[in-house]
Amino acid sequence: MPRIICVAGARPNYMKVKPVMDALERHGADVVLVHTGQHYDTAMNDVFFRDLGIRPPDRHLGAGSGSHAEQTGRVMAAFEPLLAELAPDAVVVVGDINSTLACALVTAKAGPLLAHVEAGLRSRDWSMPEEVNRVATDRVSDYLLAPSADAAANLRAEGYREDQVHVVGNVMIDTLLANLERARRSDVLDRYGLTRGGYGLATLHRPANVDDPDALRGLLRALGRIGGRCPLVLPVHPRAEQRLHAVGVPAGVRLVPPAGYLDFIALQDAARVVLTDSGGVQEETTALGVPCVTLRNNTERPVTVEEGTNVLAGTDPDRITATVHRVLDDPPAPRCPALWDGRAGERIARVLLDGGTARTRPRPTDLVRGAA
């Protein structure tokens, strides 16, 4: 029975790690869930464990907040002795947060196999800390578990071996499909007096959008214009709440408390359009067939534009306004990438359980005859 550590640290990680844990346990693996504590606010943490039915973490590192270096260092310092104690056969990290990179580096130096879920995503924007985390985590990983063919193409272009790269589908969509009917039974629309198709949903949380008062002021100006045609609901992310109030929220934009997973899926599912700077929301709206306008100049998930319902609008207020009006007038047709079918967790489990051990398989920098 292999022992496999699954690491989670922030809201998006919970939805990604649950299908992997479930599939591994179905196949008899001894799964240890480690929560780094990077997100520690109850509204952004405990509610998702409850909504998703994730068991309490087996270990909690209590990393908390801080600068990128401080947070990464605290996670590394806490994870290293735990890894030595548990002696796993493999460690699974997901996504692109500081906890992902921290636990990946510790694992690579300690010797167990390392698997990166969502490998190969690239925004081509080196100013994004997440891009650095993604690239560095991929470099030290044994298994590169790509959500889509374009992510796998990125990895091959960067020189990774074919035996490392596996297109497995999107674990976020596993969780979405498993919980969609439960979400649709939520009373969140009634709570807020909303009707299906009668509102837009907005999210803002990226530092480039909310930490710069001028950038945030421009985004809110655009949201106010859009809200005059399609009223917008904006669940307030903790990091953005004070800044939003300081800048001033325009008419047509309604702030609501942070939403749990089921409520947020219900809000997305019933929205006429979603405006976001979140990567995961781009994927969820594509799976739901809901038009999405991304308030960024780039995306590490271009497949949601090329094969989904997402449109990049940038951060210029005039361009955002024009893009949203165009989407409202002529919504993109629903479509979804291959393998976003609810079975990514099962594919990942098969890769991990059939892939050999740290002693028998090539490691990340080994030269393999005939490899790409």
Side-chain angles (χ1 to χ4, degrees):
M1 181 183 295
R3 172 173 289 175
I4 300 178
I5 292 177
C6 290
V7 177
R11 174 192 176 272
N13 289 177
Y14 313 147
M15 292 89 82
K16 296 168 188 175
V17 77
K18 177 68 159 58
V20 179
M21 292 173 54
D22 288 349
L24 287 169
E25 289 177 338
R26 282 197 299 271
H27 288 283
D30 175 17
V31 177
V32 180
L33 176 59
V34 174
H35 188 338
T36 70
Q38 182 168 331
H39 272 180
Y40 49 89
D41 184 278
T42 299
M44 302 299 293
N45 184 353
D46 296 351
V47 65
F48 292 98
F49 274 75
R50 291 196 301 270
D51 281 357
L52 297 174
I54 301 178
R55 70 168 188 263
D58 298 295
R59 300 296 181 93
H60 199 294
L61 303 184
S65 59
S67 72
H68 288 284
E70 291 168 338
Q71 193 172 64
T72 303
R74 281 201 296 270
V75 173
M76 291 180 71
F79 190 59
E80 185 177 48
L82 178 61
L83 199 65
E85 174 192 341
L86 296 177
D89 298 283
V91 174
V92 177
V93 296
V94 298
D96 54 21
I97 63 172
N98 290 336
S99 295
T100 305
L101 177 59
C103 293
L105 291 173
V106 171
T107 301
K109 293 186 176 185
L113 293 172
L114 175 65
H116 184 202
V117 176
E118 289 195 328
L121 298 181
R122 299 289 185 265
S123 68
R124 314 296 176 194
D125 182 354
W126 203 245
S127 69
M128 293 178 63
E130 297 92 341
E131 182 80 349
V132 178
N133 290 344
R134 286 188 284 265
V135 171
T137 300
D138 283 344
R139 180 62 272 176
V140 297
S141 293
D142 298 276
Y143 297 108
L144 299 165
L145 304 167
S148 51
D150 63 307
N154 290 337
L155 293 167
R156 294 185 180 107
E158 292 172 13
Y160 291 98
R161 302 188 314 263
E162 282 298 321
D163 68 282
Q164 293 177 276
V165 180
H166 303 267
V167 181
V168 295
N170 192 327
V171 287
M172 288 275 286
I173 307 310
D174 285 24
T175 298
L176 173 68
L177 295 178
N179 291 281
L180 184 54
E181 291 309 313
R182 290 176 60 218
R184 285 173 172 164
R185 293 194 294 270
S186 165
D187 67 350
V188 67
L189 298 186
D190 292 336
R191 256 183 282 146
Y192 295 142
L194 303 172
T195 59
R196 175 172 287 273
Y199 66 96
L201 176 67
T203 76
L204 291 172
H205 79 278
R206 288 194 176 273
N209 283 342
V210 300
D211 289 357
D212 181 341
D214 289 335
L216 183 58
R217 193 173 291 111
L219 290 173
L220 289 174
R221 186 163 63 249
L223 296 186
R225 295 172 185 167
I226 296 159
R229 175 179 178 184
C230 178
L232 298 177
V233 175
L234 175 58
V236 184
H237 190 288
R239 67 169 287 105
E241 183 172 11
Q242 290 184 344
R243 293 175 175 87
L244 285 167
H245 287 299
V247 170
V249 180
V253 179
R254 178 182 177 187
L255 301 187
V256 298
Y261 178 74
L262 295 176
D263 284 353
F264 190 68
I265 292 299
L267 287 169
Q268 289 187 79
D269 182 55
R272 183 178 176 187
V273 65
V274 175
L275 288 71
T276 189
D277 58 6
S278 162
V281 172
Q282 297 170 48
E283 296 174 322
E284 289 168 342
T285 49
T286 279
L288 292 167
V290 174
C292 179
V293 176
T294 293
L295 311 178
R296 290 166 50 187
N297 293 313
N298 53 59
T299 177
E300 64 282 357
R301 294 162 171 87
V303 70
T304 62
V305 176
E306 297 159 4
E307 302 179 35
T309 59
N310 187 24
V311 179
L312 274 179
T315 57
D316 176 75
D318 293 334
R319 183 181 170 194
I320 291 170
T321 304
T323 301
V324 174
H325 284 310
R326 186 172 69 250
V327 168
L328 291 172
D329 291 336
D330 185 20
R335 54 183 182 163
C336 200
L339 301 185
W340 290 23
D341 57 3
R343 295 186 55 78
E346 181 66 25
R347 295 186 191 98
I348 290 170
R350 286 295 184 186
V351 169
L352 297 181
L353 297 176
D354 296 342
T357 68
R359 293 183 178 181
T360 62
R361 65 171 284 115
R363 302 311 301 269
T365 56
D366 284 349
L367 298 177
V368 178
R369 188 184 301 274

